[in-house]
């Protein structure tokens, strides 16, 4: 029976992702246990325990790779006398989580390995063999070689706050010990950190001197880190990011999200090199086919860890074949105890371990070589992520160091591609730094001091200008505690921006317009003030010359409609008062004259007894109301026409303006705008620098050494109009620009900081007091302007259609009510008459009824005659008197 001292727990541990973990154990136990080694009819079978999280993507991928490894190995070696059998465990039930040491996965797996082997590190336990984590010593050396190649002398380590992340620190420290490279800061970020906590840490990193970051963490945390870094503007030109294998091994697969990968443009990665062989290509094809056949949707895309799992099974199968040792159970059943004891005693635990460590072969992942219990990749590949994908820029090997090609030595890496798509080697000189005192360039100008009012020797605390006060508030929010000094720059605003590009100043502030011609030398913040280009002209006072101008307030269709309504009202009143109003009696000519004159007289000289009946009074009130509205509308429109006619621009169109001299603000971009976009000749353009210069030039006019118009941005025109409010006008279409902003070097990480601070400030409560301080009650923001029209649009029938309809309906109702007796007679004659004919004999009128009707008609006739006679007598008395 085997002695228990020969018990050897041996772990070959390989890792797959943040959520998956697998390890293999091979044990030789006492002869009384037959589970670990059995014999079929011809071969020895060795059982190996495998713990997989099969429901995870990485665990499902590993399971497929393990099965393919066994199948391929024994298909290639059918004559071997041993067989390896994998006993899979589908969970880690009952395991207590412990802090993970060197493991980029969850703590439960490390806890399990620690319980079985006493340690998860090969250096701490000879029973641990690690085949799927890169040797940190070689990884650190490759990382430092990349830093040295790009001449990056200062680096910041950003790692995950766990044992896997911390493990690289001593190796990285040792690797840079004899190099001219400083590890200036180490930033530990826990996997449980919230996004706002990561952003706070990024803000701290942004203010540091070093701008080269080495990221050593797992994919889950790294994906969030780069997404937030991109939002913070730290993925732009001026920053360098180098990621280790914990992240770089997943950039070819779906292990990294698309959003995270899109945020990682210009990142440099280092990872173990995998030769592009025919065997690898065939394996990838079979893996994809097998995954589809099994309909395993959980399996992730094949990556480096799956290849290492495949090679690990091959190594284990080779080892058990060479050993040829049977377990105690097999010895008990088929082999003599003496020979088994002798074989086990001959090999021993140390010999068994040496057999495994001595295994070396060429696998699909490259050379499989174990050194001190650790798989040692023979080479590392270095790549650069761009918008077009992943580009290999070089390799690193322990013997040759950095090389552009794997077979060559002594070559530098290929140039990397920064986000602006310009090829160059990123070096320390291009990195932005937080200086002890920033050099802020401001334009030196004498006019429009409402925006910039700084001069050499002036006190910038007393009315420095609107733009300068905005900058001060934004600076305190973006870079609190950092000092700066103003540098006064003579020349144009384009020259001011060129000073930023040439690194003579660190930033340019003031009333700098954001235009396309300047984005090649600076990056602009978000605008703090909207703007646009418009035209300023002097207006003349000319009276109207059109003899028919009195007709223009109303359109011709409205004039005809009013005429028709007058006739209609006269007819309606004639019908309503025909029996009781003598004004509408007499000859046809007289009645026609009354009908036509009544609407006009009722409006011009209204009298109380113009109408008699109640219905006619209602119609008269409605007509007077309508006439009053029409008269007021006519008066208002005519006044508008006469006013606009007196404010006609001196030059009506751009075509005519090109024949005259035109002004613009000195040092601004408007000059190039007038030449390139509006087609003005440079010889016809004159620069001016202040509000008074504008006023003098417009007063003189183009023919008297002045200008016919001035083109400038709207905020400056508003300042001019606030001082000269009469006689000048902003007209013409508005040519939009992106507004006024601050200029920083291209790729500066502080652009995002300043832009966020500008948004917070302009949308806060402190912007309005500064505006009132410098501009008073005028609005300097962009307004819509348009060409001046010489006439106001005429009112049409459609403008009063609703009123016409309402009054028309009421008038018709009054007419129906007044003449209801006619309707009653019609009803009696045509409805009741017909019903009598159908239902019974017709009732003939009696002599008494006829006489009564005649008497009533005679009475009415006598009343009318007596009324006419009395009126004629009254008229005669007036004439005689």
């Amino acid at each position: 029976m085997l002695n228990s001292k020969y018990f050897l727990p041996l772990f070959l541990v390989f890792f797959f992702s943040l959520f998956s973990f697998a390890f293999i154990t091979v044990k030789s136990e006492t002869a009384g246990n037959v589970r670990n080694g059995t014999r079929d009819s011809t071969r020895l079978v060795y059982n190996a325990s495998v713990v997989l999280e099969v429901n995870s993507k990485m665990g499902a991928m590993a399971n497929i790779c393990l099965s393919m490894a066994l199948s391929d190995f024994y298909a290639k070696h059918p004559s071997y006398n041993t067989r390896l059998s994998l006993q899979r465990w589908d969970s880690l039930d009952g395991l207590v989580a412990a802090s993970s040491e060197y493991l980029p996965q969850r703590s439960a797996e490390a806890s399990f390995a620690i319980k079985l082997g006493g340690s998860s590190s090969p250096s701490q336990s000879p029973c641990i063999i690690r085949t799927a984590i890169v040797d940190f010593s070689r990884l650190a050396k490759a990382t430092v070689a990349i830093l040295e190649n790009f001449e990056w002398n200062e680096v910041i380590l950003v790692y995950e706050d766990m044992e896997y992340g911390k493990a690289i620190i001593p190796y990285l420290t040792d690797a840079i010990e004899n190099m001219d490279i400083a590890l200036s800061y180490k930033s530990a970020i826990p996997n449980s950190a919230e996004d706002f906590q990561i952003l706070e840490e990024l803000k701290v990193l942004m203010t540091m001197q070093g701008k080269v970051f080495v990221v050593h963490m797992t994919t889950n945390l790294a994906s969030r880190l780069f997404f937030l870094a991109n939002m913070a503007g730290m993925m732009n030109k001026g920053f360098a990011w180098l990621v280790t294998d914990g992240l770089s091994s997943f950039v070819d697969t779906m292990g990294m999200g698309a959003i995270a990968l899109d945020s990682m443009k210009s990142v440099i990665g280092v990872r173990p090199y995998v030769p592009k062989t025919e065997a690898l290509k065939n394996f990838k094809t079979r893996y994809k086919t097998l995954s589809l056949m099994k309909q395993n949707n959980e399996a992730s895309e094949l990556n480096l860890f799956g290849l290492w799992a495949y090679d690990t099974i091959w190594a284990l199968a080779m080892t058990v074949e060479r050993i040829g040792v049977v377990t105690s159970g097999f010895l008990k059943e088929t082999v003599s105890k003496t020979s088994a004891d002798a074989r086990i005693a001959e090999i021993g635990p140390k010999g068994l371990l040496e057999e495994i460590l001595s295994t070396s072969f060429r696998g699909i992942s490259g050379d499989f070589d174990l050194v001190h219990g650790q798989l040692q990749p023979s080479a590392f590949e270095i790549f650069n992520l761009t918008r077009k994908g992943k580009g290999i820029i070089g390799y690193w090997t322990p013997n040759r160091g950095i090389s552009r090609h794997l077979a060559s030595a002594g070559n530098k890496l290929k140039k990397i591609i920064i986000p602006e798509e310009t090829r160059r080697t990123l070096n320390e000189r291009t990195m932005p730094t937080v200086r002890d005192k920033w050099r802020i360039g401001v334009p030196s100008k004498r006019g429009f001091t409402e925006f910039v009012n700084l001069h050499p020797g002036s006190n910038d605390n007393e009315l420095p200008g609107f733009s300068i006060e905005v900058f001060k508030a934004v600076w305190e929010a973006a870079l609190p505690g950092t000092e700066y000094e103003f540098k006064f720059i003579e020349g144009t605003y384009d020259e001011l921006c060129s000073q930023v590009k040439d690194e003579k100043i660190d930033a340019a502030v003031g009333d700098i317009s954001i235009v396309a011609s300047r984005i090649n030398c600076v990056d602009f913040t978000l605008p703090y003030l909207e703007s646009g280009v418009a035209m300023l002209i002097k207006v003349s006072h000319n009276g109207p010359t059109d003899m028919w101008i009195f007709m223009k307030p109303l359109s011709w269709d409205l004039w005809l409609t009013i005429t028709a309504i007058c006739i209609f009202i006269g007819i309606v009143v004639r019908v309503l008062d025909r029996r009781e109003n003598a004004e509408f009696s007499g000859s046809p000519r007289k009645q026609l004259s009354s009908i036509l004159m009544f609407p006009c007289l009722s409006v011009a000289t209204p009298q109380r007894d113009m109408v008699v009946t109640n219905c006619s009074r209602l119609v008269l009130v409605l007509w007077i109301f309508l006439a009053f509205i029409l008269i007021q509308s006519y008066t208002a429109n005519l006044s508008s026409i006469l006013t606009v006619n007196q404010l006609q621009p001196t030059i009506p169109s751009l075509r005519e303006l090109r024949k005259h001299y035109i002004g613009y603000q000195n040092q601004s971009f408007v000059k190039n705008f007038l030449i390139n976009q509006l087609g003005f000749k440079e010889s016809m353009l004159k620069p001016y620098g202040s509000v008074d210069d504008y006023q003098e030039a417009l007063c003189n006019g183009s023919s008297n050494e002045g200008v016919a118009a001035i083109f400038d941005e709207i905020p400056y025109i508003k300042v001019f109009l606030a001082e000269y409010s009469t006689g000048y006008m902003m007209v013409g279409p508005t040519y939009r620009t992106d507004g006024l902003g601050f200029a920083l070097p291209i790729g500066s990480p502080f652009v995002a900081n300043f832009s966020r601070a500008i948004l917070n400030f302009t949308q806060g409560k402190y912007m309005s007091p500064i505006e009132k301080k410098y501009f008073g009650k005028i609005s300097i923001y962009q307004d819509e302007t348009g060409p001046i029209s010489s006439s106001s649009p005429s009112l049409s029938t459609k403008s009063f259609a609703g009123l016409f309809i309402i009054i028309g309906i009421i008038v018709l109702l009054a007419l129906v009510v007044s003449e209801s007796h006619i309707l009653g007679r019609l009803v009696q004659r045509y409805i009741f008459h017909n019903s009598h004919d159908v239902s019974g004999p017709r009732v003939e009128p009696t002599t008494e009824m006829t006489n009564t009707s005649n008497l009533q008609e005679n009475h009415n006739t006598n009343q009318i005659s007596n009324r006419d006679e009395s009126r004629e007598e009254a008229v005669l008395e007036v004439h005689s008197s």
Side-chain angles (χ1 to χ4, degrees), residues 619 637 693 840:
V619 172
N637 207 22
D693 292 344

Side-chain angles (χ1 to χ4, degrees), residues 752-809:
N753 284 27
F754 277 97
S755 296
R756 283 192 296 270
I758 287 173
L759 280 178
N760 293 331
F761 180 75
T762 55
Q763 297 177 7
K765 61 181 179 179
Y766 299 108
M767 186 69 169
S768 296
I770 297 179
E771 291 176 0
K772 293 180 181 179
K773 179 179 179 180
Y774 288 97
F775 307 110
K777 296 182 179 181
I778 67 169
S779 173
I780 57 172
Y781 292 98
Q782 179 172 330
D783 292 331
E784 292 295 333
T785 60
I788 297 178
S789 174
S790 60
S791 62
S792 180
S794 301
L795 298 173
S796 63
T797 303
K798 189 176 181 180
S799 305
F800 303 96
L803 183 61
F804 291 159
I805 292 173
I806 294 174
I807 292 179
I809 293 174

Side-chain angles (χ1 to χ4, degrees), residues 54-100:
V54 181
N55 293 329
S56 68
K57 289 181 179 295
M58 296 298 293
M61 180 205 66
N63 192 28
I64 296 175
C65 292
L66 296 176
S67 300
M68 292 178 66
L70 285 178
S71 176
D72 293 349
F73 182 82
Y74 291 112
K76 187 175 182 180
H77 307 95
S79 60
Y80 275 16
N81 294 323
T82 58
R83 288 292 183 270
L84 183 66
S85 176
L86 301 181
Q87 306 297 322
R88 294 172 174 82
W89 296 357
D90 192 23
S91 66
L92 296 176
D93 295 338
L95 299 181
V96 180
S99 58
S100 174

